[in-house]
Amino acid sequence: MSQKLKFSTSSGSPFYATTRSRVDEFFQLNQLSRNADGHMWAKTIFFLTGFTGLYLLIISGILSPLLMLIMAALLGMFSAFVGFNICHDAIHGSFSGNKSVNKFFGLVFNLVGANPYVWSITHNIVHHTYTNIPGHDEDIEVAPGLIRISDEEEINRIQRYQHWYAFPLYSLASLSWVFTKDYKKFFQQKIGEHTTLHPKLEYFNLFFYKALYYFLFIVLPLVVLDISWWQFLIGFLTLHIAEGLTMGLVFQLAHVVEGTVFPLPNEQGNMEEAWAEHQMRTTANFATHNKIAAFFLGGLNRQIEHHLFPKVCHIHYGDISKIVKKTAIEFNLPYIESKTFLSALRSHVITLKKFGKEARAL
C-alpha cells in the first residue's frame, strides 16, 4: 500500500472516449437529462412510502407477532431497495443536478443503518477506482480469512466450505454497517489509497445519526411495543438478515462471478490497462434486460454501465447498456453478463468453489 497505484494512460485504446461520445450523443439527440426523470421520481416515492409505511406499521403494535416478523423481513428488504434506488444515486451525485437534493436523499442512507460520508469514500472513491484489485478494493474484503476470492489471499482450511457459509455471512452485512464497519472505516488512517482526513462536521454526523438509528430501531420499539426483549431481538435480526442478504448478493454478483478478474499492479505500482478497460474485466451485469430486477435493484444489475458512468442516474442504464455493449465488442473487450439472477448466482457459487479448491487440498 506504500505505492500509489496508477492505471495505464498509454494503452492506445480509445474505447472509453468512443463510448462516452456515443452516450453523450444519445442524451443530446433524445434531449434527455442524465439525472432523474418522472419514472425515477415515481420509484423514489414508492420505495420511501414502502419503507416508512412498513416501519410505522410495525411500531404501531397492531400486528400479531408473526405478522410483525414478516413485516420486519420486508422492511429489511425495503431498506436495501431504498439504498439501491435512491441513496446510491444521490451519493454519487447522479440523482439530481441539484446538490442539495442529492445531499437530502443521501442522508436517508442513515435510516437504513449506513453512513453516507463513509460510503462515499469506500464506494465512490476507492471501489470505483480500484475495482477488484486485491489489497486496494476493500469492498471485496467481505470476511478476510473466511471468504477467499483471489489467488493472492492466504489459504485457510475452512475456506473449503466457503460456498456454503458465504451466504449466511452476507446476511450479516447490514449489522456490520450499523455497529462496527462505519466506525472502523471512519477511524482508519487510510481506506485503500485514500487518506482519511475528515471534516469536523462528519464526526458529529457519524455519532448523531447512529444514535438516531439506534433510537428509532432499538429504543423506540422496546418502549412502545408490548413484546419481550427476545421477541424484539428476533425481529431486529430478521430485519438485518433480510437487508444484509439482499445487499450482499447484489454486490457479489456484480464482481465475483466467472469471467471477472482480480488483477495486480506491476512492480512499479501500475496497472497494465487503462481504467475503463479494467472496469470491463472486473465488472459484470446480471438479468440485464429484466425490468423487475432493474426496478428493485436500482440499476445495480447493470453494474458495467454504472462503473463507466456513475454520474448518470440508473434509470437510463437500460438505454446506454446497448451502446456500451456494442462498443465493447468493437474494441474486442469483454462484456460479462449473466442472463438471469439465478445464472449469476450459480456463477458466483462456482467462483467461490474455485477459490476454495486449494483449501480442500490442505
Side-chain angles (χ1 to χ4, degrees):
M1 280 291 201
S2 59
Q3 294 178 323
K4 180 69 174 180
L5 188 150
K6 298 178 181 179
F7 288 92
S8 171
T9 57
S10 58
S11 63
S13 172
F15 162 71
Y16 189 49
T18 303
T19 308
R20 187 170 54 190
S21 175
R22 291 174 177 177
V23 169
D24 288 344
E25 184 180 24
F26 164 78
F27 282 109
Q28 291 170 3
L29 289 177
N30 291 279
Q31 297 182 325
L32 293 174
S33 166
R34 292 169 174 261
N35 304 124
D37 60 10
H39 295 291
M40 180 63 185
W41 281 103
K43 286 181 66 175
T44 300
I45 293 169
F46 173 80
F47 285 114
L48 286 180
T49 300
F51 174 80
T52 305
L54 286 166
Y55 174 79
L56 292 176
L57 193 59
I58 293 170
I59 211 74
S60 70
I62 63 175
L63 302 177
S64 68
L66 179 59
L67 282 176
M68 199 178 296
L69 190 63
I70 294 172
M71 293 301 107
L74 286 174
L75 180 58
M77 295 176 69
F78 261 78
S79 297
F81 296 150
V82 166
F84 294 158
N85 286 276
I86 303 169
C87 306
H88 185 231
D89 277 42
I91 297 171
H92 269 294
S94 62
F95 187 102
S96 171
N98 187 315
K99 290 184 179 180
S100 296
V101 173
N102 287 324
K103 185 175 181 180
F104 172 78
F105 284 118
L107 288 174
V108 175
F109 211 39
N110 291 291
L111 298 181
V112 302
N115 181 274
Y117 171 73
V118 173
W119 172 260
S120 70
I121 297 173
T122 61
H123 181 77
N124 292 16
I125 298 174
V126 177
H127 170 66
H128 271 260
T129 304
Y130 308 111
T131 311
N132 274 25
I133 302 176
H136 294 267
D137 181 5
E138 296 192 13
D139 269 18
I140 64 175
E141 298 176 5
V142 179
L146 292 176
I147 301 293
R148 182 173 185 264
I149 55 173
S150 165
D151 288 323
E152 304 304 313
E153 295 183 59
E154 292 186 10
I155 302 171
N156 189 321
R157 286 177 64 87
I158 196 174
Q159 292 161 349
R160 69 183 70 185
Y161 307 113
Q162 68 177 12
H163 56 287
W164 291 108
Y165 63 71
F167 298 99
L169 282 179
Y170 298 160
S171 300
L172 303 178
S174 63
L175 276 172
S176 173
W177 261 351
V178 169
F179 293 114
T180 62
K181 183 178 179 179
D182 282 337
Y183 299 113
K184 178 178 179 291
K185 297 297 181 185
F186 190 89
F187 290 103
Q188 282 181 200
Q189 289 187 345
K190 291 184 72 176
I191 300 175
E193 292 284 348
H194 182 82
T195 302
T196 52
L197 297 174
H198 310 302
K200 291 182 179 180
L201 178 61
E202 295 303 337
Y203 286 86
F204 170 81
N205 287 341
L206 175 67
F207 291 103
F208 173 78
Y209 285 110
K210 286 293 183 184
L212 177 62
Y213 184 87
Y214 299 150
F215 173 77
L216 291 174
F217 287 87
I218 298 177
V219 177
L220 192 60
L222 284 171
V223 170
V224 303
L225 294 177
D226 185 21
I227 56 175
S228 62
W229 68 267
W230 60 266
Q231 287 176 312
F232 161 78
L233 186 61
I234 291 173
F236 186 76
L237 290 176
T238 297
L239 184 158
H240 280 286
I241 287 171
E243 182 179 351
L245 185 59
T246 303
M247 294 190 311
L249 285 178
V250 171
F251 293 152
Q252 293 302 309
L253 298 189
H255 296 289
V256 188
V257 293
E258 295 170 287
T260 57
V261 297
F262 300 85
L264 291 171
N266 59 26
E267 293 181 358
Q268 289 72 44
N270 298 321
M271 302 303 296
E272 300 297 334
E273 288 189 299
W275 174 82
E277 283 84 344
H278 172 85
Q279 297 302 320
M280 299 303 294
R281 300 188 191 279
T282 57
T283 309
N285 287 358
F286 62 91
T288 313
H289 304 294
N290 187 311
K291 293 182 179 180
I292 296 176
F295 180 83
F296 283 99
L297 303 184
L300 294 181
N301 59 315
R302 295 177 175 128
Q303 193 79 194
I304 295 171
E305 286 67 36
H306 172 59
H307 270 251
L308 293 179
F309 299 99
K311 292 295 185 181
V312 173
C313 181
H314 77 263
I315 205 75
H316 303 296
Y317 290 168
D319 290 319
I320 68 175
S321 66
K322 302 168 188 174
I323 299 171
V324 174
K325 185 174 183 178
K326 177 183 177 182
T327 311
I329 292 171
E330 287 179 15
F331 284 88
N332 198 30
L333 287 169
Y335 187 89
I336 306 166
E337 61 178 334
S338 298
K339 297 299 182 185
T340 66
F341 174 84
L342 290 177
S343 61
L345 188 61
R346 178 177 178 273
S347 184
H348 177 58
V349 171
I350 290 172
T351 303
L352 289 174
K353 287 183 177 180
K354 169 190 170 184
F355 288 111
K357 185 177 180 180
E358 291 182 52
R360 291 195 290 274
L362 293 179

